[in-house]
């Protein structure tokens, strides 16, 4: 096959992939009066009308009327089911059934993989698509709207702009590898997505409970060694463990305090809504 033929085949396959994924990409809009509005993106997760987006897309709840637009379907009202500011994920619910959904990829992405970012940049350009590669793995990044640094982010050079937040980052099979969540304002071609593994862990809790647990009654200077008999080797490992299964249960903790190992029990509670 000639180089031109190979490129044509790749181009045609890419267009087919976009046609497959696009009917599951959601343009989210919140309106509060004639001159006050906000916008973002999301994607249909399942046949129960659940849509995944970013927390910062829908964190302005008071007085906003929320709607969703999907390629080929009428605009419809949505309601917010759950939000987690610590992973910047949220779930909203469509008012109408949807006949298809996107699958979360269950294996990690590889550096250099082709990916597509899909969404509604600037709130004015729905059904937009950009192509790039996975250009970095396990990034940690702090942004003004996030209470703590986001962990294990996927870095991509696919073009992402305000309004793309919450939209899917998909692989060449159409599976979601991440949720586009932020860019570096002081750089070009550096966008970041919350990985599918985090989505798979957090979103079921948001659907069931509306939020995710977090509490840490430790003394200043404590160095955490283990939680629930699991070794903690960094912030990301701690955040992974602080899920709904630990809510309200006595959980063993081991820390180093004043040079000594100290073991005690804690009872994790819910993070107050909106925190």
């Amino acid at each position: 096959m000639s180089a031109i033929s190979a490129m044509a085949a790749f181009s045609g396959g890419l267009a087919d992939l976009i046609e497959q994924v696009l009917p599951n990409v959601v343009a989210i809009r919140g309106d509060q009066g004639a001159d006050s509005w906000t916008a973002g993106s999301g994607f249909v997760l399942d046949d129960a009308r659940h849509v995944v987006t970013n927390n910062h897309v829908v964190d302005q709840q008071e007085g906003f009327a929320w709607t969703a637009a999907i390629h080929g379907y009428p605009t419809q009202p949505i309601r917010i089911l759950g939000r987690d500011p610590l992973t910047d994920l949220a779930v909203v619910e469509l008012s109408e059934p949807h006949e298809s959904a996107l699958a979360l990829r269950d294996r990690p992405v590889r550096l250099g993989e082709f990916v597509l970012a899909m969404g509604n940049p600037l709130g004015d350009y729905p059904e937009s698509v950009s192509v790039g590669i996975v250009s970095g793995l396990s990034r940690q990044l702090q942004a003004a709207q996030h209470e703590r640094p986001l962990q294990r982010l996927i870095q991509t050079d696919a073009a992402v702009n305000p309004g793309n937040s919450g939209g899917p980052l998909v692989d060449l099979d159409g599976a979601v590898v991440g949720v586009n969540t932020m860019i570096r304002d002081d750089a070009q071609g550096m966008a970041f997505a919350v990985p599918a593994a985090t989505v798979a862990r957090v979103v079921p809790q948001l659907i069931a409970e509306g939020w995710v647990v977090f509490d840490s009654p430790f003394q200043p200077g404590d160095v955490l060694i283990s939680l629930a008999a699991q070794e903690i080797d960094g912030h990301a490992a701690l955040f992974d463990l602080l899920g709904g299964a630990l809510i309200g249960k006595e959980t063993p903790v081991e820390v180093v305090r004043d040079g000594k190992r100290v073991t005690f029990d804690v009872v994790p509670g819910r993070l107050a809504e909106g925190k």
Side-chain angles (χ1 to χ4, degrees):
M1 180 182 292
S2 69
I4 296 297
S5 296
M7 290 174 64
F10 178 75
S11 177
L14 206 58
D16 291 343
L17 171 63
I18 292 167
E19 288 183 358
Q20 167 193 329
V21 173
L22 197 58
N24 304 291
V25 179
V26 181
I28 295 173
R29 182 179 174 99
D31 286 282
Q32 186 188 47
D35 300 319
S36 180
W37 60 277
T38 186
S41 305
F43 63 91
V44 182
L45 179 68
D46 55 31
D47 59 4
R49 309 197 309 271
H50 295 134
V51 170
V52 176
T53 185
N54 281 142
N55 173 71
H56 76 262
V57 170
V58 294
D59 64 357
Q60 303 177 68
Q61 296 188 73
E62 292 297 326
F64 277 80
W66 295 95
T67 57
I70 304 175
H71 177 71
Y73 296 84
T75 299
Q76 58 183 290
I78 57 176
R79 71 185 184 100
I80 300 168
L81 290 184
R83 303 187 297 114
D84 180 34
L86 301 184
T87 57
D88 198 24
L89 292 174
V91 178
V92 302
E93 184 181 59
L94 301 172
S95 57
E96 300 293 333
H98 197 73
E99 60 190 16
S100 60
L102 297 182
L104 297 176
R105 178 160 146 174
D106 60 3
R107 67 186 192 282
V109 293
R110 299 174 61 197
L111 200 63
E113 276 194 62
F114 278 104
V115 287
L116 287 77
M118 307 181 74
N120 181 29
L122 304 181
D124 289 326
Y125 300 96
E127 304 161 24
S128 291
V129 183
S130 60
V131 179
I133 64 168
V134 174
S135 50
L137 299 171
S138 295
R139 302 304 198 199
Q140 175 178 302
L141 208 61
Q142 178 74 59
Q145 71 266 30
H146 300 139
E147 186 169 305
R148 72 182 185 204
L150 296 177
Q151 306 286 331
R152 296 176 175 164
L153 298 177
I154 298 168
Q155 180 185 335
T156 179
D157 64 355
V160 171
N161 292 279
N164 274 113
S165 291
L169 187 69
V170 303
D171 64 15
L172 294 184
D173 292 321
V176 176
V177 300
V179 179
N180 299 311
T181 190
M182 61 191 305
I183 59 175
R184 282 290 300 258
D185 292 331
D186 57 348
Q188 293 183 342
M190 293 184 69
F192 301 88
V194 177
T198 302
V199 179
R201 175 175 58 83
V202 169
V203 162
Q205 297 181 61
L206 296 181
I207 293 172
E209 304 289 344
W211 50 73
V212 176
V213 61
F214 183 78
D215 194 10
S216 56
F218 302 102
Q219 294 184 12
D222 283 353
V223 177
L224 183 62
I225 298 174
S226 70
L227 176 71
Q230 299 292 316
E231 182 179 349
I232 303 299
D233 59 3
H235 289 91
L238 172 61
F239 300 153
D240 283 350
L241 284 173
L242 285 171
L246 298 183
I247 295 175
K249 296 182 179 179
E250 286 196 355
T251 303
V253 168
E254 185 177 12
V255 301
V256 173
R257 180 178 295 166
D258 297 326
K260 299 178 180 179
R261 287 179 177 254
V262 178
T263 302
F264 54 94
D265 290 335
V266 296
V267 180
R270 297 185 188 281
L271 178 71
E273 186 173 1
K275 294 288 186 173

